[in-house]
Amino acid sequence: MTTDNWFTDFNLGGRAPYLLVCFPYSGAGANVFRSWAGALDNADVLAALLPGRERRIAEPAIGDLEELVAALLPALISRLDRPYLLFGHSMGALIAYRVALELGRRGVQPPKHLIVSGYRSPELSSRNRLLHTLSDSEFVVELQRYGGTPNEVLQHQETMQLLLPMLRADFRIHETYRHAPQPAAEFPIAAFTGRADHLVPGEDMAAWRDKTAADFQHRLFDGGHFFISEQRQAVLAALQDIVNEHIKDDILLPFAGITHAAAGFEPAV
């Protein structure tokens, strides 16, 4: 396993043909993907670690999506030495989508696949209450409704005082994001949905089909918003299917990587 400020590489040794780059949900760090290490054939797992958590807990969290993407992109590009796929759950799905678009603007070879999980198509408005402006007590109550944060953490006042700035920043990322129309992507997209997800219904996930001119898949899983944990094996099996599709279809030509255009990155407006 290797690390830098922005990413943790859970490669267990050797070198797989593909790289699966994973972006976590609000409040989570790279370690939510630790158990995926070695679980996929032909794909190594590289997980994003955003400021304000795990070994970066002393750093201020970033609450603006474009600022966050601009900050992490150079570190990611330095890692892209082979064909790659992007995966993100909830907030991470929005980050993964924006990363894919900005990589294209920098002249980087596009992902083989974008897998968005538990997050509505970006042009849609949220169906949920805005959290990042709530009082601390209201915010904690809403976090309980969302799930994903252990009750023992939510009920520990000192821990929550430490985590609340990071959690607010994460929710600010997706609650303040305003989508500008984009051309349909050339890479395929797969949308993963929990059948019992009370936060993101299936029709909001199905709307991702309009974001690509390539293949689109909509896969349903048992479980609620955090089905990626509840149905870990089923999610990994679905990811393996996607990797296998590319292994079967690809000639695995040398990775083109970055063109000269990547040197002049400017965030989208």
Side-chain angles (χ1 to χ4, degrees):
M1 183 181 77
T2 58
T3 62
D4 59 29
N5 277 349
W6 283 99
F7 291 94
T8 298
D9 186 346
F10 291 116
N11 181 10
L12 298 180
R15 176 185 165 86
Y18 289 100
L19 191 63
L20 177 66
V21 184
C22 300
F23 295 91
Y25 49 85
S26 296
N31 282 329
V32 297
F33 299 109
R34 179 180 293 275
S35 67
W36 292 18
L40 296 172
D41 293 334
N42 296 310
D44 291 331
V45 175
L46 181 69
L49 177 55
L50 309 184
R53 67 215 76 201
E54 293 178 7
R55 66 178 180 273
R56 304 187 70 184
I57 196 166
E59 300 178 43
I62 298 174
D64 177 81
L65 181 61
E66 302 305 330
E67 179 184 351
L68 177 68
V69 170
L72 70 82
L73 219 59
L76 177 58
I77 289 173
S78 70
R79 296 277 198 153
L80 297 182
D81 57 354
R82 63 191 116 162
Y84 65 99
L85 305 87
L86 300 178
F87 172 89
H89 182 72
S90 197
M91 174 191 73
L94 178 61
I95 297 172
Y97 173 64
R98 292 302 306 174
V99 163
L101 297 182
E102 298 298 350
L103 285 170
R105 294 185 71 246
R106 292 196 71 172
V108 178
Q109 186 170 314
K112 304 299 291 186
H113 226 105
L114 170 66
I115 303 101
V116 290
S117 174
Y119 189 84
R120 66 189 183 275
S121 188
E123 81 282 1
L124 300 178
S125 298
S126 174
R127 299 171 182 260
N128 305 301
R129 184 183 185 187
L130 296 181
L131 268 63
H132 76 276
T133 59
L134 296 178
S135 68
D136 287 355
S137 59
E138 289 178 305
F139 190 48
V140 171
V141 169
E142 289 297 318
L143 287 177
Q144 289 177 315
R145 186 177 72 87
Y146 263 71
T149 305
N151 280 332
E152 56 268 27
V153 174
L154 292 172
Q155 295 169 6
H156 195 277
Q157 187 173 359
E158 290 80 7
T159 300
M160 287 307 299
Q161 288 302 310
L162 179 65
L163 297 179
L164 277 172
M166 175 269 290
L167 287 163
R168 286 188 187 279
D170 282 4
F171 277 89
R172 188 180 302 116
I173 282 176
H174 57 86
E175 290 180 345
T176 62
Y177 175 71
R178 297 295 178 266
H179 183 69
Q182 303 287 335
E186 297 181 0
F187 46 80
I189 295 177
F192 288 6
T193 304
R195 288 187 174 92
D197 189 341
H198 66 287
L199 299 174
V200 187
E203 59 265 31
D204 287 4
M205 294 298 300
W208 278 99
R209 67 168 51 91
D210 296 329
K211 295 295 173 287
T212 179
D215 180 62
F216 176 78
Q217 306 173 42
H218 187 193
R219 302 198 182 205
L220 299 176
F221 299 84
D222 292 336
H225 188 61
F226 290 96
F227 66 89
I228 64 165
S229 299
E230 300 164 8
Q231 300 294 328
R232 173 182 172 275
Q233 290 301 326
V235 169
L236 288 170
L239 290 171
Q240 188 67 69
D241 288 345
I242 292 171
V243 171
N244 290 346
E245 290 173 13
H246 293 293
I247 288 288
K248 179 182 67 176
D249 295 338
D250 277 354
I251 307 173
L252 289 180
L253 297 173
F255 181 57
I258 307 167
T259 70
H260 64 278
F265 170 70
E266 295 179 359
V269 294

